[in-house]
Amino acid sequence: MSTDTAQRASSSQPSTDMPKFLTLVTVFFFWGFLAASNGVFIPFCKSHFQLSQFQSQLIDLAFYFAYFMGSLIIYLAEKISGIDILNKIGYKRGIIYGLLFSAAGALLMIAAINVGSYPFILASFFAIALGFSIQQTCAQPFAIALGAPETGSHRLNFGGGVNSFGTTVGPIVVSVILFGSLGAQNVVVELGSVVKMYIGLAVLFTAVATFFQFSNLPTITNDEHIEKGGSALKYPQLVLGMTAIFVYVGVEVTIQSNMGALLALPEFGAYKESQIAQFISLYWGSLMIGRWTGAIAVFDMSKTMKQIMTVVVPFVGFAVILGANALNGNDVSNLYIYAVCIVIQIIGFFLSKDKPARTMLIFTSLAIMAMLVGLFTTGTVATFAFISGGLCCSIMWPCIFALSVAGLGKYTSQGSLFLIMMILGGAIIPPLQGLIADNVNIHSSYWITVICFAYLAFYTLQTQRVLKAQGIDHDAAVGGAH
């Protein structure tokens, strides 16, 4: 390891370097802000370009396929050149390059909107997300390095909470930009409003890249040698984890990406495009609630205080969601009943005891039950049942990540790269659900979520057996966040 890394990897540095860490997590916000905004942008594109549900979901395909391609390009380039590219340029510079790439993608989007070409728009989404993939590949190990290794997973959970805050406010902000307000009805979106939004994003990405360039973030690299021909893929827990990440990201994205079409049904309220933002915001806010709760461990507090915060923090997160919507003039009284779902999640947290395998089994079971309730009912009950999938998904990335890299040793970084590749699931499963919706109906298409969560439960049991055979504790503390 480099001197910087060695110093930060030492257990003699027990605390997180908070000023530098808080600078770093700003990029986590942007990933969530734009990814969640797709849930509002997809219905707009569907009506503007007169698309089928499958065609509208190609936005998610373009966006999440870029994560796969970005990681794959880096991996292949390193294999061919024999150079650890990200180590050579450093995590800080990698994030800066990623931000500038996303800024270029936003400028491409402006051109695509002016041309009026849907394929061009898809290409622009791909370019923005390609920059995100570079940022994410660098930012996650960077966060781990900004303090002691034993608290690295908690920093990622905190970063995930910031990411989820972005997913919560993203749909609201985008809805206001596109429609003027959250409650607007029968509003025709002016393309000029969309152009202004992406001009703002291009400026913002460039500004943050400049801020990073002149920040006091250290240049951190990892010089640990991995023998030629060695591969993390020889570990079955990683291969199982790659499939699980694929399915998890796919189901997390597809629930909300197809929700606009679901809420347009008369039995679900016949909501207009301009009225769905509060539900998309609540869904992504549900992930924020879980991740904020999971990040409690990054702060030094007693066991009793941690238990109190496990109850308080979820409702603080819920209050943030309600407040963000209320500030935009939206009536949030219809969301109050969702507190029941949050209580169920809190019970799940206490039962899971921060153990990855146990947490996965509890929350996949809750998710399956929620999806079945949504499928066999309609209206408010079904809507909130589907949205509560966000509460269940909130803690799954860290659990899968922790189980997948357990025992990888010097192959952990390579394993992390493979796991990030599997964000590809967000590109495949939403269009697949859209295809089912076009050929059956949108409500029934949500059976795909039951299948996904059932697989994740199976994955957990299988991985437990694999790790047990290797003598690895599969109930180590939860780590990581997406």
Side-chain angles (χ1 to χ4, degrees):
M1 285 188 168
S2 68
T3 303
D4 256 344
T5 309
Q7 289 173 345
R8 299 181 192 283
S10 171
S11 59
S12 63
Q13 184 184 357
S15 61
T16 299
D17 191 337
M18 289 303 291
K20 294 182 175 65
F21 175 61
L22 293 176
T23 298
L24 174 64
V25 296
T26 55
V27 293
F28 284 71
F29 175 86
F30 293 122
W31 307 335
F33 181 93
L34 204 58
S37 301
N38 291 353
V40 176
F41 200 71
I42 286 171
F44 159 69
C45 285
K46 182 181 179 182
S47 61
H48 183 76
F49 293 102
Q50 298 181 324
L51 307 172
S52 68
Q53 187 64 14
F54 169 75
Q55 290 172 323
S56 71
Q57 294 303 306
L58 293 179
I59 287 176
D60 274 333
L61 189 151
F63 194 85
Y64 289 97
F65 185 63
Y67 276 92
F68 171 77
M69 286 302 300
S71 298
L72 181 62
I73 290 169
I74 292 171
Y75 174 72
L76 292 177
E78 290 179 348
K79 280 290 185 181
I80 293 170
S81 66
I83 299 172
D84 187 338
I85 296 172
L86 293 179
N87 178 63
K88 188 175 180 65
I89 66 175
Y91 295 144
K92 174 181 173 179
R93 192 170 297 171
I95 292 172
I96 292 170
Y97 291 160
L99 283 163
L100 293 176
F101 207 103
S102 293
L107 293 175
L108 281 177
M109 180 67 78
I110 295 168
I113 292 168
N114 286 325
V115 171
S117 167
Y118 185 57
F120 196 179
I121 286 176
L122 294 178
S124 303
F125 269 113
F126 181 88
I128 293 171
L130 198 60
F132 284 3
S133 74
I134 299 170
Q135 295 168 44
Q136 185 156 160
T137 301
C138 294
Q140 299 212 39
F142 203 167
I144 292 173
L146 290 174
E150 57 267 28
T151 58
S153 63
H154 303 317
R155 284 189 291 280
L156 286 181
N157 261 328
F158 186 91
V162 174
N163 174 274
S164 294
F165 180 67
T167 64
T168 302
V169 302
I172 297 171
V173 173
V174 171
S175 184
V176 171
I177 293 172
L178 295 184
F179 304 107
S181 70
L182 288 176
Q185 298 187 34
N186 301 317
V187 176
V188 177
V189 177
E190 297 290 338
L191 292 183
S193 299
V194 184
V195 169
K196 288 177 183 177
M197 181 177 76
Y198 280 96
I199 290 175
L201 285 172
V203 171
L204 201 55
F205 290 145
T206 304
V208 175
T210 303
F211 173 69
F212 266 67
Q213 176 64 37
F214 293 102
S215 71
N216 63 348
L217 282 171
T219 299
I220 295 179
T221 59
N222 189 332
D223 301 323
E224 188 171 18
H225 175 69
I226 296 178
E227 64 269 19
K228 189 174 181 179
S231 175
L233 293 174
K234 66 184 178 182
Y235 293 92
Q237 61 265 39
L238 176 64
V239 177
L240 285 166
M242 289 169 65
T243 309
I245 288 291
F246 179 95
V247 172
Y248 154 71
V249 175
V251 72
E252 176 191 277
V253 174
T254 202
I255 290 173
Q256 66 86 35
S257 288
N258 286 281
M259 191 168 289
L262 183 73
L263 294 175
L265 297 177
E267 60 269 32
F268 278 84
Y271 290 96
K272 304 294 184 183
E273 296 167 26
S274 57
Q275 298 174 302
I276 66 171
Q278 64 169 325
F279 298 104
I280 302 298
S281 173
L282 181 60
Y283 174 77
W284 289 111
S286 296
L287 280 97
M288 179 187 73
I289 289 170
R291 287 166 181 172
W292 280 14
T293 307
I296 290 172
V298 81
F299 302 100
D300 186 18
M301 62 182 70
S302 66
K303 181 179 179 181
T304 300
M305 180 56 67
K306 181 179 178 182
Q307 291 174 337
I308 293 172
M309 295 302 287
T310 299
V311 175
V312 172
V313 167
F315 285 103
V316 171
F318 188 39
V320 168
I321 298 166
L322 296 177
N325 280 282
L327 283 173
N328 285 283
N330 200 54
D331 180 10
V332 295
S333 60
N334 62 326
L335 304 182
Y336 292 161
I337 191 64
Y338 192 67
V340 174
C341 299
I342 295 173
V343 170
I344 295 172
Q345 187 202 41
I346 291 171
I347 294 171
F349 269 117
F350 278 111
L351 293 175
S352 66
K353 299 179 180 179
D354 284 345
K355 297 179 177 180
R358 185 170 181 166
T359 300
M360 281 293 293
L361 286 175
I362 289 172
F363 282 97
T364 51
S365 298
L366 289 174
I368 291 169
M369 288 188 284
M371 297 303 103
L372 289 174
V373 169
L375 282 161
F376 288 107
T377 60
T378 57
T380 301
V381 172
T383 298
F384 286 154
F386 286 132
I387 290 174
S388 71
L391 293 172
C392 298
C393 285
S394 65
I395 202 66
M396 288 187 185
W397 172 281
C399 293
I400 297 169
F401 202 92
L403 293 169
S404 302
V405 301
L408 265 60
K410 63 185 178 182
Y411 292 99
T412 300
S413 295
Q414 188 182 97
S416 299
L417 187 64
F418 284 131
L419 289 172
I420 291 173
M421 280 186 195
M422 291 299 101
I423 292 177
L424 176 67
I428 304 301
I429 293 177
L432 178 59
Q433 183 179 355
L435 194 61
I436 296 171
D438 286 335
N439 288 278
V440 185
N441 62 70
I442 186 65
H443 194 184
S444 296
S445 73
Y446 273 82
W447 275 104
I448 197 170
T449 64
V450 176
I451 296 170
C452 288
F453 286 124
Y455 170 78
L456 291 172
F458 164 78
Y459 150 80
T460 306
L461 295 172
Q462 185 66 20
T463 303
Q464 279 182 305
R465 287 192 283 268
V466 167
L467 293 178
K468 185 177 181 180
Q470 296 177 18
I472 297 172
D473 180 11
H474 55 70
D475 270 338
V478 172
H482 170 65

